[in-house]
Amino acid sequence: MQVGFALADRHRSERILMKAAKEAPMTFFEEILTRRAAEAGITLTDAQIAQFAVYNEMLTDWNTRMNLTALTSPEDVAVKHIIDSLTAYDAALFDGAKMLIDVGTGAGLPGIPLAVYAPHVHVTLMDALQKRVRFLMEVTRAMGLTNTCAIHARAEEAARQAAHRECYDIAVSRAVARMPVLLEYALPLVRVGGTFLALKGRAYAEEAAEGAGLARSLGGGAILARPVYLPGLDDVRAILSVTKERPTPRGYPRRQVK
């Protein structure tokens, strides 16, 4: 019954957003996002564009009162936040997934864009700072998202709890920590057969090599790299992926990850 209500709420929110999107002229941000998404080969519906417009407005507003991001221009939010987050999407992984966790989500990236783009996946947004969790709760509510929850937790603690350990089909992170640290935080949360995705910049090959041994120790396979392109930028980025092949030994994650 609760699932039925959740689906009904989601469909109702989508209808409201689509109606609003059709009745109102496109804002500057919406025009940029629509154009840049098309250049990246990403198709967004009117309802999704409207949801991302709400995210942009609330991000820039809340950022005046707390430190969520240094990038707040319409172009930066569209490309470096939303489209960058969506580069983690891979239909082969997401089509069969039900549960995803975003480790160290910060301003909800990449979790919120992925929740919009893959509404059949339940997305857990995890962050260690309570005031960021308040933002996440408010912005997902305003966007009409019913497939997300925001939790206040440290990854190294959550990964030792039965409610989270080896429970997720996909774990993602866009955090600035090096790959070995992210692996130790995130891979214990992934079920056997699931995948950890890390969004990385130009040093991705070096980080993949740096984390290869630890990935195996944590129950993962090889670290694979998928280069990605962001429209209008000439920098180098890639999605690093690790498939969970075996359960993570009980000693991980360690209390003090270095």
Side-chain angles (χ1 to χ4, degrees):
M1 184 65 71
Q2 290 181 343
V3 173
F5 282 135
L7 288 172
D9 288 342
R10 191 183 78 202
H11 293 156
R12 188 178 302 112
S13 296
E14 288 177 349
R15 288 196 296 272
I16 292 171
L17 287 165
M18 287 180 69
K19 185 173 184 291
K22 289 179 179 178
E23 291 178 351
M26 269 196 174
T27 64
F28 180 55
F29 168 78
E30 291 170 329
E31 290 176 355
I32 291 174
L33 179 59
T34 300
R35 183 175 71 254
R36 292 305 198 189
E39 291 171 0
I42 297 171
T43 301
L44 298 176
T45 66
D46 290 343
Q48 289 169 337
I49 293 290
Q51 284 177 300
F52 286 133
V54 172
Y55 177 81
N56 174 61
E57 289 183 12
M58 292 189 66
L59 176 70
T60 53
D61 177 48
W62 279 63
N63 203 59
T64 63
R65 304 189 298 276
M66 58 184 289
N67 183 26
L68 288 168
T69 177
L71 304 173
T72 57
S73 74
E75 177 81 14
D76 283 343
V77 175
V79 177
K80 295 183 180 180
H81 289 332
I82 294 172
I83 294 176
D84 182 50
S85 295
L86 293 177
T87 61
Y89 179 84
D90 181 345
L93 292 178
F94 279 75
D95 285 354
K98 295 180 180 179
M99 302 282 288
L100 178 150
I101 186 165
D102 182 358
V103 180
T105 186
L109 304 165
I112 288 177
L114 290 171
V116 171
Y117 202 65
H120 66 285
V121 178
H122 185 274
V123 175
T124 297
L125 305 165
M126 182 171 66
D127 199 85
L129 194 61
Q130 182 63 59
K131 61 183 180 180
R132 283 199 292 257
V133 172
R134 287 198 298 271
F135 165 74
L136 297 170
M137 294 173 67
E138 288 297 321
V139 74
T140 52
R141 180 194 59 78
M143 293 172 71
L145 291 174
T146 58
N147 62 325
T148 63
C149 68
I151 62 172
H152 176 223
R154 299 184 68 86
E156 61 269 34
E157 296 171 358
R160 292 183 172 276
Q161 300 169 2
H164 298 290
R165 190 177 181 88
E166 300 192 329
C167 290
Y168 297 92
D169 302 297
I170 301 171
V172 297
S173 185
R174 206 178 75 142
V176 296
R178 299 286 292 182
M179 191 64 177
V181 175
L182 292 180
L183 283 166
E184 190 159 348
Y185 284 158
L187 209 54
L189 298 164
V190 179
R191 66 167 177 82
V192 174
T195 305
F196 169 52
L197 303 173
L199 288 71
K200 287 295 179 181
R202 65 176 62 253
Y204 72 85
E206 176 186 337
E207 291 204 43
E210 187 180 339
L214 184 57
R216 290 191 293 272
S217 297
L218 293 165
I223 299 178
L224 305 179
R226 174 170 61 86
V228 295
Y229 160 76
L230 293 185
L233 300 177
D234 59 1
D235 59 351
V236 178
R237 297 175 187 239
I239 309 299
L240 299 183
S241 64
V242 182
T243 299
K244 184 79 165 281
E245 297 179 345
R246 303 171 305 282
T248 298
R250 293 182 62 184
Y252 294 103
R254 293 164 290 185
R255 297 297 180 185
Q256 296 294 327
V257 180
K258 296 181 179 180

